[in-house]
Amino acid sequence: MGLFDKLAGWLGLKKKEVNVLCLGLDNSGKTTIINQLKPSNAQTQDIVPTIGFSIEKFKTSSLSFTVFDMSGQGRYRNLWEHYYKEGQAIIFVIDSSDKLRMVVAKEELDTLLNHPDIKHRRMPILFFANKMDLREALSSVKVSQLLCLENIKDKPWHICASDAVKGEGLQEGVDWLQDQIRTMRT
Amino acid sequence: MIKKFDKKDEESGSGSNPFQHLEKSAVLQEARIFNETPINPRRCLHILTKIIYLLNQGEHFGTTEATEAFFAMTRLFQSNDQTLRRMCYLTIKEMANISEDVIIVTSSLTKDMTGKEDVYRGPAIRALCRITDTTMLQAIERYMKQAIVDKVPSVSSSALVSSLHMVKMSYDVVKRWVNEAQEAASSDNIMVQYHALGLLYHLRKNDRLAVSKMLNKFTKSGLKSPFAYCMLIRIASRLLEETEGGHDSPLFDFIESCLRNKHEMVVYEAASAIVHMPNCTARELAPAVSVLQLFCSSPKAALRYAAVRTLNKVAMKHPSAVTACNLDLENLITDSNRSIATLAITTLLKTGSESSVDRLMKQISSFVSEISDEFKVVVVQAISALCQKYPRKHSVMMNFLSNMLRDDGGFEYKRAIVDCIISIIEENPDSKETGLAHLCEFIEDCEHTVLATKILHLLGKEGPRTPCPSKYIRFIFNRVVLESEAVRAAAVSALAKFGAQNDDLLPSVLVLMQRCMMDSDDEVRDRATFYMNVLQQKQKALNAAYIFNGLTVSVPGLEKSLHQYTLEPSEKPFDMKTVPLATTPITEQKTEIAPVATSKLPEKLTPSRQDIYQEQLAAIPEFQGLGPLFKSSEPVQLTEAETEYVVRCIKHTFAGHMVFQFDCTNTLNDQLLQKVLVQMEPSEAYEVVQYIPAANLPYSQPGSCYSLVRLPEDDPTAVSCTFSCTMKYLVRDCDPNTGEPDDDGYDDEYVLEDLEVTVADHIQKVLKPNFGAAWDEVGDDFEKEETFALSSVRTLDEAVGNIISFLGMQPCERSDKVPENKNSHVLFLAGVFRGGHDLLVRSRLALADGVTMQVTVRSQEETAVDVILASVG
């Protein structure tokens, strides 16, 4: 792999840039996940509720990600759609301990999938069933049932349980996303 | 090379402006490239510039298109290009109010303001504060506090200035940052210190005690920043003014000590503050003026300008204080900067002696064409003041003014000159003919309608009385031929006055009028037809009533009466006497020496004080049968200023009655007064008909009660009367804090000072522009004449003043001004007696040991004449 990277650098084929939207309800852990994925020297210590959106960048072995970390608060959700065109992939974060609002998450997801800018595009969606460390957390299987993920037929998707505070489960998801994006391009 | 080219572009003006022909829709179309990845910073930068340019040109952006462009722009936060990012901040600030959902960038900006990149932090704070509202402010409060005390000066300054802007919006939140601001105020950076002081002051400015504490602290500890010092001086002088502190106050000492500061800026600010203080004496002025004098010889043009401008202001109030600087000012006359030179000369004109006037005028006329209009107005004002001071110099001034009038210039400038010439003509009869000639020449080529009509009116008033009136006719008739409608109409009115006054000109005027009756404009034709018919009657009385003196009713009153008349159809013709009279505007009585009014725009026609009273009284059912209000007096105080109850009275005169309006204020916070009325005991045959009490009079809320008095019918000459007044009321004690009154109260009374009704209350002032014509019009049917000796009066001036204030009539023909070194004078007074009869008084005064006065009174009715003579005697 290392040799290939160097070779790509020499040939002027820098790392491919990908724009990703990070969506989900408020307090689901979007900003925390993105913060964990950044290189350790760029991470911030305190995470506050996002207002509007913020743009973050991180790199994986073969891709350079630009993430639009959107605010999940109710009154800002209608602003997501301004950035749908932008995204080549979606990260959707769910608070798996919040059973009450699972329906709200499902509703937002359905609206998202039915949006004209998203509907007919074959873009990968990565689901994080976050906060798996909490005792009352649901399993990723249960979450995917509640959100009826099996109904998504025309887009590749993947769900993995994660604990963003410790960083567990994140790498698995990002690796999947990276593979998907690469296969889409070739 | 490129730079050089740019410079050239700038100089050649808008012709080569690359943004000149921008189309909004095209630019918004281009803005789509913001959505492309990867971002091309150079192109995006160019488009953002175009958008900002359009916004600043005043181009209107619809909400939808603005929002779309804004959201497209937010994507540019992906790029790390410094210039592009800072351009984004600018765009956010420009679009903050026209796009929706601008809070979308809050987190992005918060990230930048707390980030590592110092170049981003300051601008990010400023942009963030523009898009934040009160509810969102709490979310960023923590970051703002940190930013205020940040060690990078630009960040701290940005945060302080942004806080200052947000004080207007959410005072309570920003108030919590006072400790941080205090810390910033001790910063080493001069700008940060200045901004911190500004914020601290604005947070405390409503609390005088806190401001004075703050001043105290900083004046003791001293500051590093000269800007902050200037600010302190301003705060201190404002506080001094508000508290009316004397010159022994420590604040004044502080300001004076700043005169010895090492920064010129601070020294100037202190001097300027001292100079602008009200009631400043020569002793306090001296150090400030001497500092300004030093600045006069400074090599820096800005300092010289500031100094001479301030000295110019001082010279208005304290010419003697500036005399010491005369030598330095003389040197500035030849200054290469024309603004400095102008101010120096006008200052010298104010302070100098009569002998230097000629020389200064010559000097200034050498470069008057090179200075801007604004300064020309300053020159004209100085000349106007000078003319009042040295009337003998009017020929020099008049020459100079007419030369200036010929030069190019804006409306303000021309108006200043015309006003100045008119005031010279009025002050100084010798200059009348030359002045009128200059003005005639001016209207031959005058593009300002207002000035042309004004001059035509003046010509109509003054022209017929000059030795050779026929020469003005040509100038006036030229207007009828050449000018716009408004000027033509004014010219017709002026012509009519010539025809009415000069019999030998009458035939020619009639011919000209005939010509005007074929004018294309309605107003001009109407006027011409009207004057034509009046003139053909050849009756002095008609001329006087309809050509010289016009209507004296109040316009809103006339409008209301006519409206009323059309609503109630009746057989009777409309009676002009029922219309309330116009109260003579204060501006007519220009007795004090006022320099040409700087730039007062023509005032809008507001209802006069009397019209307001008329309205108020008409709303009270008891007063409905009294007819129109004839006159309302100035308020008379019936108590001392600092008593428990403050009462003042306004006397309203009607045809057969008087209404006394008592405005009462209760200054006791533990009392509620009820059923307040003022009982009146007349000394003469006046009869109190009715009292209308004020129901409630709570603490510090003024209320009015009224008394209706019938005037004696059998003896119409008994006009003056004294009333002893007592205020009667029911007191209910109440809790000072809640205002809750006790259940029961007790009756009480309060003795007021006596109220006098004098002859002046029965006469309304009316200005007759042409007294002689009015005198003839009234005729000598009821003329009476008597001679009195005023032994207690020593000068003519004093006698004139006494007569005017006693009779309450309007002096006409400027006869209230007694020429110097004369021992006889004729005073013309005009007015309308209660009931609507014109009343004219001619009083010849002669100065011997005392003053001898021969009074001739004419009116259309005998009573009025008797009243005057009885009251004078």
Side-chain angles (χ1 to χ4, degrees):
Chain A
M1 214 36 157
L3 186 74
F4 183 78
D5 268 352
K6 271 181 194 160
L7 207 68
W10 282 338
L11 296 172
L13 294 166
K14 268 170 48 193
K15 278 184 183 173
K16 270 284 174 202
E17 292 204 17
V18 197
N19 284 352
V20 181
L21 300 177
C22 185
L23 309 172
L25 298 191
D26 47 314
N27 198 30
S28 57
K30 295 176 293 300
T31 309
T32 318
I33 288 177
I34 305 301
N35 193 42
Q36 277 293 343
L37 291 171
K38 287 200 287 187
S40 52
N41 57 354
Q43 287 178 5
T44 50
Q45 291 310 309
D46 54 358
I47 309 283
V48 293
T50 308
I51 302 167
F53 79 111
S54 80
I55 294 176
E56 306 288 350
K57 294 186 181 188
F58 66 89
K59 285 181 180 148
T60 60
S61 48
S62 63
L63 289 173
S64 164
F65 282 96
T66 302
V67 185
F68 286 73
D69 178 14
M70 306 298 299
S71 169
Q73 291 174 38
R75 56 185 167 147
Y76 301 128
R77 279 181 219 149
N78 58 342
L79 301 177
W80 291 356
E81 61 181 26
H82 286 284
Y83 300 91
Y84 285 168
K85 278 213 187 85
E86 219 64 7
Q88 288 147 305
I90 293 174
I91 298 174
F92 198 93
V93 185
I94 302 124
D95 179 354
S96 55
S97 68
D98 189 0
K99 296 186 195 90
L100 263 181
R101 293 207 299 165
M102 210 54 88
V103 275
V104 185
K106 179 175 178 343
E107 201 162 294
E108 290 295 342
L109 179 65
D110 290 345
T111 331
L112 164 73
L113 292 174
N114 284 320
H115 192 274
D117 286 347
I118 301 283
K119 199 169 182 180
H120 303 295
R121 288 167 64 196
R122 204 183 135 73
M123 55 202 299
I125 308 178
L126 170 62
F127 292 93
F128 278 120
N130 199 19
K131 308 199 188 176
M132 67 172 185
D133 52 316
L134 297 180
R135 215 147 42 91
E136 66 273 28
L138 302 169
S139 72
S140 59
V141 179
K142 187 80 183 143
V143 171
S144 73
Q145 276 171 3
L146 282 171
L147 296 181
C148 308
L149 295 185
E150 67 276 9
N151 291 347
I152 306 175
K153 301 277 197 277
D154 56 345
K155 293 183 177 62
W157 60 270
H158 180 76
I159 184 161
C160 51
S162 63
D163 172 6
V165 182
K166 295 202 191 70
E168 286 167 23
L170 298 181
Q171 203 50 50
E172 180 206 333
V174 173
D175 285 346
W176 175 83
L177 197 61
Q178 176 175 285
D179 287 345
Q180 282 297 322
I181 291 169
R182 273 199 304 196
T183 50
M184 275 174 71
R185 281 166 187 272
T186 50
Chain B
M1 191 60 197
I2 290 170
K3 237 183 185 161
K4 232 179 198 170
F5 182 72
D6 280 346
K7 195 96 181 218
K8 217 173 171 185
D9 262 6
E10 236 164 62
E11 277 165 6
S12 57
S14 59
S16 59
N17 179 354
F19 297 111
Q20 197 173 28
H21 299 294
L22 283 185
E23 271 284 332
K24 181 180 72 173
S25 50
V27 172
L28 288 175
Q29 194 75 244
E30 279 185 287
R32 296 219 172 137
I33 70 150
F34 296 165
N35 294 332
E36 281 171 17
T37 35
I39 287 164
N40 179 341
R42 259 182 62 92
R43 285 182 63 197
C44 293
L45 204 54
H46 192 61
I47 294 164
L48 282 180
T49 317
K50 286 182 184 172
I51 292 179
I52 296 181
Y53 176 82
L54 284 177
L55 283 168
N56 280 302
Q57 290 302 105
E59 186 85 46
H60 177 76
F61 280 61
T63 313
T64 339
E65 53 189 9
T67 311
E68 198 173 309
F70 186 82
F71 274 88
M73 184 274 298
T74 58
R75 290 176 177 86
L76 301 181
F77 272 92
Q78 288 175 60
S79 165
N80 264 333
D81 187 272
Q82 283 199 355
T83 332
L84 182 61
R85 182 69 63 86
R86 298 183 68 180
M87 203 61 179
C88 284
Y89 299 140
L90 283 182
T91 319
I92 291 172
K93 286 199 277 188
E94 291 294 332
M95 296 184 91
N97 295 326
I98 52 175
S99 163
E100 281 178 338
D101 295 316
V102 283
I103 37 89
I104 188 87
V105 286
T106 305
S107 269
S108 308
L109 292 172
T110 327
K111 202 175 116 196
D112 284 349
M113 91 182 246
T114 51
K116 294 194 183 66
E117 202 69 82
D118 281 342
V119 215
Y120 289 163
R121 295 175 63 199
I125 292 172
R126 292 196 296 266
L128 185 59
C129 290
R130 274 303 297 276
I131 61 163
T132 303
D133 57 20
T134 313
T135 48
M136 304 290 299
L137 191 54
Q138 316 248 352
I140 60 161
E141 184 174 3
R142 189 161 58 104
Y143 303 116
M144 287 301 290
K145 281 185 172 178
Q146 280 166 10
I148 289 176
V149 292
D150 200 280
K151 60 181 187 301
V152 182
S154 70
V155 174
S156 178
S157 267
S158 297
L160 287 164
V161 174
S162 299
S163 313
L164 192 51
H165 284 298
M166 284 193 298
V167 168
K168 289 176 219 130
M169 187 178 77
S170 30
Y171 176 79
D172 292 321
V173 179
V174 181
K175 200 168 186 241
R176 295 200 288 258
W177 309 345
V178 116
N179 285 334
E180 281 76 15
Q182 203 103 44
E183 195 180 324
S186 51
S187 159
D188 280 341
N189 185 286
I190 52 172
M191 266 334 214
V192 173
Q193 190 170 52
Y194 169 55
H195 290 142
L197 182 67
L199 179 60
L200 285 174
Y201 171 63
H202 278 274
L203 286 174
R204 290 166 178 172
K205 68 177 172 195
N206 293 327
D207 180 357
R208 203 176 283 165
L209 194 71
V211 172
S212 78
K213 257 191 196 158
M214 181 177 86
L215 276 177
N216 216 339
K217 184 183 145 199
F218 285 121
T219 51
K220 274 208 191 92
S221 64
L223 292 164
K224 224 185 163 96
S225 158
F227 302 108
Y229 258 113
C230 290
M231 177 104 192
L232 272 189
I233 292 172
R234 287 188 188 184
I235 300 173
S237 65
R238 192 166 313 154
L239 195 65
L240 265 179
E241 201 172 312
E242 277 169 14
T243 53
E244 286 160 15
H247 302 292
D248 41 2
S249 141
L251 288 176
F252 186 82
D253 293 342
F254 161 69
I255 297 178
E256 199 168 32
S257 75
C258 286
L259 288 175
R260 293 180 290 279
N261 196 291
K262 64 176 186 294
H263 295 282
E264 280 160 339
M265 188 197 305
V266 180
V267 175
Y268 172 72
E269 190 66 44
S272 162
I274 293 178
V275 162
H276 284 105
M277 261 174 218
N279 58 56
C280 201
T281 63
R283 198 169 60 83
E284 283 116 24
L285 271 179
V289 170
S290 68
V291 161
L292 292 173
Q293 186 175 10
L294 276 181
F295 283 172
C296 278
S297 44
S298 157
K300 293 182 198 158
L303 268 185
R304 293 201 302 274
Y305 176 74
V308 73
R309 184 162 171 265
T310 315
L311 284 175
N312 192 4
K313 290 227 179 81
V314 187
M316 301 222 189
K317 275 191 280 178
H318 308 276
S320 55
V322 186
T323 334
C325 308
N326 274 2
L327 209 61
D328 303 80
L329 289 171
E330 292 272 355
N331 290 333
L332 290 181
I333 292 179
T334 49
D335 199 291
S336 56
N337 183 320
R338 292 309 186 203
S339 307
I340 294 176
T342 312
L343 285 168
I345 291 183
T346 47
T347 314
L348 282 172
L349 284 177
K350 284 170 196 154
T351 60
S353 61
E354 194 167 357
S355 57
S356 63
V357 168
D358 286 313
R359 187 174 53 85
L360 289 169
M361 296 302 275
K362 200 170 283 171
Q363 187 87 39
I364 201 167
S365 54
S366 66
F367 65 82
V368 76
S369 55
E370 294 166 36
I371 57 180
S372 71
D373 266 17
E374 206 177 319
F375 282 105
K376 287 181 185 167
V377 173
V378 175
V379 174
V380 174
Q381 282 167 356
I383 293 175
S384 154
L386 204 59
C387 288
Q388 267 148 0
K389 207 160 134 199
Y390 306 120
R392 268 184 298 162
K393 286 283 168 199
H394 71 83
S395 62
V396 184
M397 310 288 177
M398 204 56 112
N399 246 330
F400 183 72
L401 286 172
S402 71
N403 282 333
M404 285 174 95
L405 208 48
R406 269 181 223 129
D407 293 338
D408 291 335
F411 172 64
E412 287 301 331
Y413 168 52
K414 296 279 172 172
R415 186 170 63 178
I417 302 177
V418 170
D419 285 349
C420 181
I421 295 186
I422 292 179
S423 72
I424 295 177
I425 293 175
E426 285 178 347
E427 294 296 320
N428 203 328
D430 300 342
S431 63
K432 192 187 277 178
E433 288 215 38
T434 36
L436 288 180
H438 290 312
L439 291 176
C440 281
E441 187 193 323
F442 172 61
I443 55 169
E444 281 292 304
D445 183 22
C446 169
E447 56 194 316
H448 309 290
T449 312
V450 182
L451 292 182
T453 47
K454 186 169 188 172
I455 293 171
L456 283 170
H457 178 74
L458 181 80
L459 281 178
K461 212 172 85 183
E462 303 288 346
R465 281 184 267 181
T466 52
C468 181
S470 58
K471 69 177 173 192
Y472 301 107
I473 302 272
R474 181 173 62 89
F475 291 105
I476 298 174
F477 193 69
N478 278 348
R479 304 281 71 69
V480 179
V481 183
L482 299 169
E483 304 276 354
S484 66
E485 293 84 10
V487 182
R488 293 207 299 271
V492 168
S493 303
L495 270 183
K497 287 183 186 154
F498 279 87
Q501 192 129 341
N502 305 84
D503 290 335
D504 45 333
L505 285 177
L506 185 60
S508 339
V509 169
L510 286 176
V511 172
L512 294 177
M513 279 292 171
Q514 215 128 33
R515 162 79 171 67
C516 297
M517 281 163 69
M518 287 175 288
D519 197 280
S520 59
D521 182 70
D522 284 351
E523 172 73 19
V524 180
R525 274 202 311 274
D526 287 353
R527 285 199 193 189
T529 316
F530 174 73
Y531 289 131
M532 180 88 184
N533 285 315
V534 175
L535 286 174
Q536 276 168 342
Q537 305 298 317
K538 294 189 181 150
Q539 286 180 23
K540 279 247 149 60
L542 274 183
N543 286 349
Y546 295 111
I547 295 180
F548 295 127
N549 292 333
L551 286 178
T552 49
V553 293
S554 90
V555 177
L558 179 62
E559 191 186 343
K560 216 173 288 167
S561 315
L562 283 173
H563 182 65
Q564 196 64 33
Y565 184 72
T566 50
L567 286 182
E568 299 162 0
S570 73
E571 293 293 299
K572 280 190 292 178
F574 180 73
D575 185 7
M576 272 314 269
K577 292 231 163 70
T578 60
V579 180
L581 293 168
T583 37
T584 319
I586 313 288
T587 43
E588 291 288 346
Q589 314 162 326
K590 210 165 52 177
T591 40
E592 82 269 40
I593 299 175
V596 181
T598 37
S599 62
K600 249 192 274 162
L601 290 170
E603 286 153 36
K604 255 184 22 201
L605 191 65
T606 49
S608 64
R609 181 171 151 269
Q610 184 162 347
D611 291 326
I612 296 167
Y613 284 131
Q614 164 97 26
E615 199 103 308
Q616 283 174 358
L617 292 176
I620 300 169
E622 283 85 346
F623 300 150
Q624 250 156 23
L626 301 181
L629 175 61
F630 179 73
K631 183 180 183 179
S632 297
S633 73
E634 291 298 314
V636 185
Q637 296 292 343
L638 295 184
T639 55
E640 304 282 321
E642 309 264 318
T643 46
E644 298 95 307
Y645 312 114
V646 179
V647 180
R648 52 176 215 169
C649 177
I650 299 162
K651 297 172 271 188
H652 302 291
T653 314
F654 289 84
H657 295 82
M658 284 188 87
V659 169
F660 299 93
Q661 172 183 346
F662 297 94
D663 292 337
C664 316
T665 311
N666 172 10
T667 61
L668 299 177
N669 61 359
D670 57 353
Q671 282 190 357
L672 170 71
L673 305 188
Q674 288 185 317
K675 296 179 197 152
V676 185
L677 60 85
V678 176
Q679 193 170 40
M680 306 174 79
E681 294 291 336
S683 64
E684 308 282 329
Y686 282 52
E687 179 194 350
V688 180
V689 183
Q690 200 168 18
Y691 293 112
I692 293 154
N696 275 312
L697 200 61
Y699 165 61
S700 86
Q701 285 175 18
S704 300
C705 60
Y706 300 89
S707 307
L708 176 63
V709 172
R710 183 183 296 134
L711 299 173
E713 278 161 21
D714 42 340
D715 180 15
T717 53
V719 285
S720 51
C721 177
T722 308
F723 292 90
S724 49
C725 303
T726 317
M727 182 160 83
K728 299 203 164 177
Y729 45 86
L730 178 75
V731 183
R732 288 172 72 182
D733 290 325
C734 60
D735 186 328
N737 298 321
T738 61
E740 199 61 42
D742 289 348
D743 287 336
D744 42 35
Y746 51 93
D747 285 322
D748 201 355
E749 57 179 52
Y750 188 80
V751 178
L752 304 174
E753 283 169 31
D754 288 354
L755 181 67
E756 303 249 11
V757 174
T758 62
V759 62
D761 291 319
H762 299 268
I763 297 171
Q764 177 69 283
K765 288 179 179 183
V766 167
L767 180 72
K768 298 279 183 197
N770 189 325
F771 187 83
W775 186 254
D776 292 339
E777 179 201 344
V778 170
D780 54 3
D781 297 347
F782 298 109
E783 185 182 284
K784 285 198 180 169
E785 197 170 78
E786 235 171 291
T787 309
F788 305 92
L790 311 174
S791 53
S792 61
V793 187
R794 291 276 150 248
T795 65
L796 288 175
D797 260 334
E798 197 183 341
V800 167
N802 283 352
I803 298 168
I804 293 171
S805 68
F806 178 74
L807 291 178
M809 294 170 77
Q810 176 69 31
C812 297
E813 312 264 333
R814 303 186 68 79
S815 60
D816 53 331
K817 289 204 132 172
V818 183
E820 279 172 59
N821 307 324
K822 288 261 188 86
N823 45 18
S824 67
H825 182 66
V826 186
L827 175 67
F828 302 112
L829 295 172
V832 170
F833 190 70
R834 173 168 57 81
H837 300 288
D838 273 339
L839 180 65
L840 299 171
V841 173
R842 186 182 63 196
S843 138
R844 294 176 202 272
L845 302 166
L847 185 68
D849 267 344
V851 174
T852 320
M853 171 172 80
Q854 185 195 42
V855 183
T856 317
V857 191
R858 282 186 180 188
S859 173
Q860 295 147 331
E861 198 215 26
E862 198 166 8
T863 333
V865 178
D866 292 339
V867 166
I868 294 290
L869 287 181
S871 63
V872 175

